[in-house]
Amino acid sequence: MAVASRTPLIAGNWKMNLDHLQSIAFVQKLAWTLKDANHDFAGAEVAVFPPFTDLRSVQTLISADKLELVFGAQDVSQYDSGAYTGEISGAFLKALDASYVIIGHSERRTMHAETDEIVAAKSAAAIKHGLVPVICVGETADDLETHGPSAVPVAQLKAALAGIGAGTSAAPTDIVVAYEPVWAIGSGQAATPEQAEQVCAALRGVLAEVLGQDTADATRILYGGSVKSGNIAGFMRQPNVDGALVGGASLDVAEFAAISRFQKHVGV
Ligand code: PEP
């Protein structure tokens, strides 16, 4: 198990699913399901990452009903404001009370040509606006074959952290790293817990090198890629895995609630 000072985070990336009306129904049902199950939110934080158009509805619901769920966005602009058609500023997300923002998801890296430099700039922008960046890294199947498991994620994390090192004006108070092997995303073929642990441990080494040991010890590293209620326990037993970034399974309330309640089956 990961160290107790790192509160596990179960994060649901909805991608381009659920409109704002569906998001309200979903979040209400998720909150009720977790409440009925006496979920310990202090023991495992539960976050949803809806599309931009849902964020206001989700924020209003969470705030009005005093739900213990938190939320974030799936992307952020590297710029503060200006002539950037279609972009969303971190300032706008912060004004909406978003806690987190996913940065560098492999779908954005491949489909929207997001480079390591853009990921670094977006990570710095998130921190500047008081958002916690969930920095995604991970290797493709080809990378795995050519370079082994850790090389690409380690290089991606080093690049993402450029410019936000300890002692800089953009020193992070909190960041989250998500290790998501691209071959495991949406494929139904998750990494083994041991594979995830090996890479997450290497990523923690990068955090120690760049941001210092204290920050490395305090930073949550998630595993993502075909996480389900049936395999979450294996990941959460690993010392360097502090939670999960969940795609497909986060769209099913019962399944996502069961993943969030991993503590009920980790010890079994
Ligand atoms: C993701 O896209 O971040 C993800 C982990 O997807 P899935 O859980 O569906 O593999």
Side-chain angles (χ1 to χ4, degrees):
M1 292 278 289
V3 303
S5 60
R6 298 196 294 263
T7 303
L9 171 63
I10 302 298
N13 174 12
W14 295 1
K15 309 191 183 187
M16 198 171 71
N17 293 290
L18 306 181
D19 67 23
H20 75 289
L21 295 174
Q22 292 168 317
S23 78
I24 293 171
F26 185 99
V27 169
Q28 271 171 337
K29 203 169 160 199
L30 178 62
W32 291 333
T33 305
L34 289 170
K35 190 162 181 252
D36 283 353
N38 286 323
H39 179 68
D40 171 19
F41 284 92
E45 192 179 3
V46 182
V48 293
F49 291 78
F52 285 126
T53 49
D54 299 4
L55 290 176
R56 177 65 168 149
S57 307
V58 168
Q59 179 240 338
T60 303
L61 177 61
I62 287 177
S63 156
D65 289 5
K66 298 187 174 38
L67 305 181
E68 292 184 86
L69 299 166
V70 293
F71 69 96
Q74 297 175 18
D75 188 25
V76 66
S77 173
Q78 66 203 83
Y79 305 108
D80 292 350
S81 64
Y84 301 104
T85 302
E87 294 290 290
I88 301 289
S89 167
F92 305 163
L93 297 175
K94 189 63 188 172
L96 265 185
D97 253 352
S99 301
Y100 294 100
V101 59
I102 295 173
I103 295 176
H105 190 280
S106 62
E107 287 156 12
R108 295 210 61 86
R109 288 180 190 261
T110 53
M111 290 186 249
H112 301 273
E114 282 197 7
T115 60
D116 282 344
E117 290 69 30
I118 293 174
V119 171
K122 289 186 173 190
S123 300
I127 291 164
K128 175 179 172 187
H129 291 293
L131 301 162
V132 177
V134 179
I135 302 170
C136 300
V137 297
E139 81 288 357
T140 63
D142 280 351
D143 293 333
L144 183 62
E145 209 173 296
T146 315
H147 307 289
S150 305
V152 168
V154 158
Q156 286 177 336
L157 183 58
K158 282 185 180 164
L161 296 177
I164 60 167
T168 70
S169 58
T173 51
D174 193 9
I175 60 170
V176 172
V177 176
Y179 167 52
E180 297 209 300
V182 180
W183 48 269
I185 294 179
S187 66
Q189 189 206 337
T192 65
E194 294 72 24
Q195 283 174 315
E197 170 60 18
Q198 184 189 352
V199 180
C200 291
L203 295 173
R204 201 173 299 286
V206 173
L207 292 168
E209 203 180 300
V210 181
L211 299 174
Q213 192 61 52
D214 288 352
T215 302
D217 289 342
T219 297
R220 290 169 296 176
I221 303 180
L222 315 182
Y223 165 76
S226 297
V227 169
K228 308 267 184 293
S229 59
N231 62 17
I232 183 69
F235 294 111
M236 296 309 295
R237 285 194 194 100
Q238 306 305 314
N240 283 291
V241 179
D242 307 306
L245 183 53
V246 186
S250 76
L251 296 170
D252 179 314
V253 170
E255 180 66 2
F256 189 57
I259 293 169
S260 302
R261 299 181 65 249
F262 67 88
Q263 279 156 330
K264 297 290 163 228
H265 34 112
V266 156
V268 186

